[in-house]
Amino acid sequence: MPAASESESASAAEDRYVLYGAPGSGATPVHAALTLIGAQVETVDIATWESEAERERVSGVNPMRQVPALLLPSGELMTESAAILLWLGDRYPQAGLGPAPDSPLRARYLRWMVYLPAAIYSLFWVRDEPSRLVPDAAAQATMLERSAERIAHCWHLMDTQIGEPAPYLLGEHLSMLDLYVTVMSRWTPTRARFDREAPRMARAVKRVDADPRLAAFWAARFPFVPGWEQGNG
């Protein structure tokens, strides 16, 4: 991991961000990344999956009525969790959270950072409000069951293709990919199922769970309360 110069460290510490998105949401890996980077973060908690009122709250920030949304120090707004994480990795290379453009790991990194929202995260738009696509109440239960199975299958496919974590998903250093998978693996169909479907990735994810640099962050923004692995917390 590259060492940070004093000027680079100072720049990160002076940067101020506003992050829209509730604890446990897609804003969580972004917040974790900013924590490791050492930037200042103001949070605006909005849980868009809970109600129409919550989605309306964020509509003035993101017309898609989704989180995360990140207000940059420049005043520009970014949305889409993968894009934000990729941008932060490139913006703060001293943090070592993303392979450089000329790194042999860059292609693998980009592949899986895009796979996660394309194959898994996108399914939560309809899961959060099944009537968006499935108006029949009886059919909604089937949709929820089958989409959960699809998510589990996608985790399994990723686990069989990504390579052996050593000790993290891209090798020796924790990356944005580890943060993204660590948070998303706690969503449906829960971490316990993820551990069964993706045992190799599970080993890397547990290292992120236990990273002392993130201990206070997890406790505040996505705590490991009793039953969390089965989704009861």
Side-chain angles (χ1 to χ4, degrees):
M1 184 177 297
S5 68
E6 290 186 8
S7 61
E8 288 173 331
S9 298
S11 174
E14 293 169 2
D15 284 347
R16 297 174 179 267
Y17 292 86
V18 179
L19 178 62
Y20 298 83
S25 72
T28 305
V30 175
H31 198 169
L34 288 166
T35 299
L36 293 176
I37 287 165
Q40 300 179 58
V41 186
E42 175 188 344
T43 57
V44 181
D45 289 352
I46 301 177
T48 54
W49 60 90
E50 288 187 351
S51 67
E52 180 67 17
E54 285 291 273
R55 290 188 284 276
E56 189 60 29
R57 282 184 64 206
V58 80
S59 63
V61 177
N62 181 5
M64 291 288 286
R65 306 201 306 168
Q66 297 172 347
V67 294
L70 183 68
L71 186 64
L72 308 183
S74 65
E76 181 179 355
L77 187 80
M78 281 196 77
T79 64
E80 316 313 318
S81 55
I84 294 169
L85 291 168
L86 291 168
W87 183 85
L88 288 171
D90 290 346
R91 169 70 178 84
Y92 301 102
Q94 69 274 14
L97 294 174
D102 60 351
S103 167
L105 295 172
R106 185 74 174 191
R108 190 187 313 175
Y109 173 59
L110 294 177
R111 176 191 179 187
W112 296 116
M113 287 295 290
V114 173
Y115 174 89
L116 291 173
I120 298 174
Y121 199 154
S122 58
L123 291 173
F124 286 91
W125 180 81
V126 65
R127 287 188 58 83
D128 289 346
E129 190 67 42
S131 61
R132 285 167 166 163
L133 295 181
V134 187
D136 180 70
Q140 289 175 13
T142 299
M143 183 281 296
L144 291 170
E145 178 183 355
R146 291 182 178 178
S147 61
E149 289 302 311
R150 173 62 180 173
I151 292 167
H153 179 62
C154 288
W155 283 129
H156 176 73
L157 290 177
M158 183 176 177
D159 192 66
T160 61
Q161 296 179 69
I162 195 171
E164 186 67 32
Y168 295 103
L169 297 180
L170 294 177
E172 296 181 3
H173 304 299
L174 185 152
S175 73
M176 297 294 189
L177 183 61
D178 295 286
L179 297 176
Y180 212 6
V181 172
T182 296
V183 172
M184 289 180 61
S185 64
R186 294 181 63 178
W187 301 345
T188 299
T190 76
R191 177 66 75 76
R193 179 72 182 275
F194 172 84
D195 289 347
R196 296 195 301 271
E197 300 290 345
R200 295 193 301 171
M201 290 200 296
R203 292 193 289 273
V205 161
K206 286 178 172 58
R207 293 186 181 95
V208 183
D209 289 342
D211 192 310
R213 297 172 297 171
L214 291 169
F217 171 78
W218 294 134
R221 303 299 293 180
F222 207 4
F224 301 114
V225 297
W228 70 271
E229 292 167 307
Q230 288 77 35
N232 298 326

